[in-house]
Amino acid sequence: MRKTPDLIVIGGSWGGIKASLEILQGLPEDYKIPIVLVLHRLRDQEGNLKQLFDKRLNLKVEEVEDKEAVCSGYVYIAPANYHVLLENDKSFSLDVSDLVNYSRPSIDVTFISAADTYGEGVIGILLSGASKDGSMGLKRIADAGGIALVQDPAEAEVAVMPLAAIEAVPTCSVQGLNSLKDYLLSLT
Amino acid sequence: MKHSMDVQFEQEVEQLIKDIRQHYGYDFNGYARASVYRRVKRFLANNHLQTIPELREQVFSDSFFFEGFLQEITVNVTEMFRDPAFFLSLRQNVLPMLSTYPFIKIWDAGCSTGEELFSLAILLKEEGLLDRTKIYATDINQKVLKQAKEGIFSASNIASYTSGYYASGGKQEFASYYVSNYGSLKFDSSLIKNVVFYPHNLATDSTFNEFHLILCRNVLIYFNRELQERVFTLFDDSLVDLGYLALGKKETLAMSGIFSRYAFVDKENRIHRKTG
Ligand SMILES: C[S@@+](CC[C@H](N)C(=O)[O-])C[C@H]1O[C@@H](n2cnc3c(N)ncnc32)[C@H](O)[C@@H]1O
């Protein structure tokens, strides 16, 4: 039997909030795998994201704090204006260095760091979005032996992000939101 | 499990950190590794280097090259009025209390190229405190200190600086503080006439004065918990009773041994006061 993954990282931009809510909504509060969510957002969405997810999920929702431990039962949201990195001792570090793909937080930054730190234990999921951010990171996750999942571009609100991901990681598994949700549920 | 190539890379970085301390005296041992790894990889790519041994060859034979490496590792990205709500809170909750002192001393630790310093000076000026305030602006990096003294910032961010200024309670015409010239903004140098600039390394140097307010924002995120604790103790030793400590928006004092002696002035904006 395959061992349970250590970390799920999810990225999205335009349409990504709705899509990630949909796949996370059914997960139980004692879900065994910590989840990190990197969503591009407009400045005026700051702060509201935590509340938005808090209301709809069974899991606990936190904005990432610097040097906080990565724990199961949580969905961690990348804060506005910071990149999120993962340390070897399974804690978060934040970073204010330059934008990557015009974004901070950048999905690539977190995905690459997750792959470097957790290796094959990572599941990366890219959802709807109007940016190509995340596809390099997803490739790194796949190269490190992790699992690369992409929302079906046909049903994504904006297909740019999934299409870029499929091009960068031809071996990724393309799925609809319902099937992504079932997959996550089946893991623990 | 981690990839063996990554493991080797990380071991080579550890050795590099040790040897840099030996050779140049800069101690990066307490730096949080995730960012260090990322910056080292970026520096390799930017300099068309493939491996750490290639990097070492240049780092240890060319001190000018090392300077560039230092720039890369110590992330210097900054902006004016970063988190306007923080500056508004400083203006409303801290400066009125500071105004009761005949003479005010402030430490801006990790001031980078000065955007935060000038933002602070503008607040002090508008609250009538600038003339009796001395600010110590420090950073590990001498190059950014030189830039901070110039007070010349890129005009490309002017829209966000201007809205940040007003959101922080700005009372004047923001444009009255600078002259714009070929894509850059030169800020009024009288704003920093009471500022002294010092190289100071939070990882290795000691306390050098007593302050009523210490700002250290978005510096501690680059340190591990141990080094953070060292710095918190250093700040604790450098603050007068009832002095203020302001951290970055996502930096926390809560895990520190000194936390119990501090009260939140503004939890959301990470402004603390030393209470005993
Ligand atoms: C991201 S900038 C933060 C600038 C500003 N405080 C802000 O929040 O916009 C971090 C700064 O910390 C400085 N720094 C890094 N390590 C340091 C150390 N050991 N001692 C003092 N400053 C350090 C860097 O040189 C850089 O200028």
Side-chain angles (χ1 to χ4, degrees), chain B residues 31 75-78 82 110 112 116 139 200-202 217-218:
Chain B
Y31 281 51
V75 173
N76 301 129
V77 176
T78 183
R82 190 198 300 253
S112 191
E116 180 179 74
D139 202 284
H200 181 281
N201 186 340
L202 292 166
R217 303 174 65 233
N218 302 306

Side-chain angles (χ1 to χ4, degrees), chain B residues 45 49 72 182 244 269:
Chain B
L49 298 169
E72 182 71 38
Y182 298 108
Y244 294 91
N269 290 301

Side-chain angles (χ1 to χ4, degrees), chain A residues 96-97, chain B residues 27-28 31 73-79 82 108-113 115-116 138-141 144 200-204 216-219 221-223 227:
Chain A
V96 292
S97 64
Chain B
D27 189 353
F28 294 114
Y31 281 51
I73 298 297
T74 60
V75 173
N76 301 129
V77 176
T78 183
E79 49 189 270
R82 190 198 300 253
D108 186 3
C111 66
S112 191
T113 41
E115 282 82 341
E116 180 179 74
T138 67
D139 202 284
I140 188 179
N141 187 327
V144 295
H200 181 281
N201 186 340
L202 292 166
T204 46
C216 184
R217 303 174 65 233
N218 302 306
V219 180
I221 47 178
Y222 296 103
F223 298 168
L227 180 53

Side-chain angles (χ1 to χ4, degrees), chain A residues 63 67 82 88 95-96, chain B residues 2 218 221-223 250 270:
Chain A
E63 264 203 358
K67 300 297 161 334
Y82 288 90
N88 282 336
D95 170 28
V96 292
Chain B
K2 214 184 249 294
N218 302 306
I221 47 178
Y222 296 103
F223 298 168
K250 290 286 154 190
R270 307 294 151 103

Side-chain angles (χ1 to χ4, degrees), chain B residues 20-252:
Chain B
I20 285 176
R21 184 174 46 192
Q22 277 282 324
H23 199 275
Y24 287 109
Y26 283 102
D27 189 353
F28 294 114
N29 191 39
Y31 281 51
R33 289 299 186 266
S35 172
V36 172
Y37 298 150
R38 180 167 176 263
R39 304 298 288 190
V40 169
K41 283 180 186 159
R42 211 175 92 129
F43 188 80
L44 288 173
N46 290 345
N47 288 277
H48 310 289
L49 298 169
Q50 307 296 326
T51 64
I52 302 264
E54 284 173 50
L55 172 71
R56 294 179 58 98
E57 219 178 283
Q58 297 203 43
V59 159
F60 296 116
S61 66
D62 179 351
S63 62
F64 187 75
F65 185 85
F66 172 70
E67 276 296 314
F69 181 72
L70 186 74
Q71 302 289 327
E72 182 71 38
I73 298 297
T74 60
V75 173
N76 301 129
V77 176
T78 183
E79 49 189 270
M80 291 191 87
F81 300 102
R82 190 198 300 253
D83 309 314
F86 162 76
F87 284 95
L88 181 63
S89 184
L90 203 60
R91 194 192 281 268
Q92 292 177 336
N93 301 316
V94 177
L95 299 193
M97 304 305 290
L98 293 187
S99 73
T100 61
Y101 295 106
F103 187 70
I104 305 162
K105 283 194 286 189
I106 301 178
W107 181 9
D108 186 3
C111 66
S112 191
T113 41
E115 282 82 341
E116 180 179 74
L117 174 70
F118 275 86
S119 309
L120 173 67
I122 287 171
L123 253 62
L124 290 165
K125 179 161 189 189
E126 294 186 359
E127 301 308 314
L129 303 177
L130 190 61
D131 288 335
R132 56 188 165 103
T133 302
K134 183 156 186 173
I135 307 178
Y136 295 74
T138 67
D139 202 284
I140 188 179
N141 187 327
Q142 311 224 19
K143 191 170 166 202
V144 295
L145 287 176
K146 224 181 266 166
Q147 277 174 265
K149 266 184 231 173
E150 301 284 324
I152 298 173
F153 308 131
S154 160
S156 57
N157 303 317
I158 187 66
S160 98
Y161 290 177
T162 304
S163 68
Y165 166 73
Y166 290 113
S168 74
K171 295 173 173 171
Q172 306 283 322
E173 199 64 53
F174 186 50
S176 67
Y177 290 108
Y178 60 81
V179 182
S180 71
N181 195 357
Y182 298 108
S184 60
L185 310 172
K186 165 97 179 88
F187 277 76
D188 182 356
S189 57
S190 73
L191 287 168
I192 54 162
K193 65 178 192 292
N194 294 335
V195 178
V196 287
F197 295 89
Y198 282 122
H200 181 281
N201 186 340
L202 292 166
T204 46
D205 293 338
S206 353
T207 170
F208 58 95
N209 215 320
E210 274 214 316
F211 302 95
H212 301 103
L213 164 65
I214 298 176
L215 269 83
C216 184
R217 303 174 65 233
N218 302 306
V219 180
L220 294 163
I221 47 178
Y222 296 103
F223 298 168
N224 65 22
R225 292 272 298 275
E226 240 176 295
L227 180 53
Q228 288 188 351
E229 191 59 22
R230 176 196 199 268
V231 177
F232 286 139
T233 307
L234 175 65
F235 289 160
D236 192 39
D237 293 341
S238 309
L239 272 177
V240 300
D241 283 340
L242 301 177
Y244 294 91
L245 175 61
L247 306 178
K249 182 121 198 246
K250 290 286 154 190
E251 289 164 332
T252 179

Side-chain angles (χ1 to χ4, degrees), chain A residues 7-85:
Chain A
L7 186 74
I8 297 169
V9 286
I10 302 175
S13 69
W14 193 321
I17 296 180
K18 230 170 97 186
S20 46
L21 271 173
E22 220 160 298
I23 60 174
L24 297 178
Q25 230 156 20
L27 299 182
E29 68 183 313
D30 62 348
Y31 193 66
K32 290 289 178 316
I33 313 167
I35 299 168
V36 182
L37 200 53
V38 184
L39 295 170
H40 298 167
R41 43 180 147 175
L42 304 168
R43 283 207 173 223
D44 60 5
Q45 286 174 330
E46 270 177 49
N48 305 340
L49 224 48
K50 174 179 145 61
Q51 288 167 15
L52 188 79
F53 279 83
D54 228 358
K55 259 194 244 142
R56 291 183 174 75
L57 304 189
N58 305 317
L59 290 152
K60 292 190 273 299
V61 180
E62 288 284 353
E63 264 203 358
V64 174
E65 287 276 339
D66 181 55
K67 300 297 161 334
E68 181 180 26
V70 181
C71 298
S72 62
Y74 281 87
V75 173
Y76 296 97
I77 300 182
N81 267 319
Y82 288 90
H83 294 307
V84 174
L85 302 170

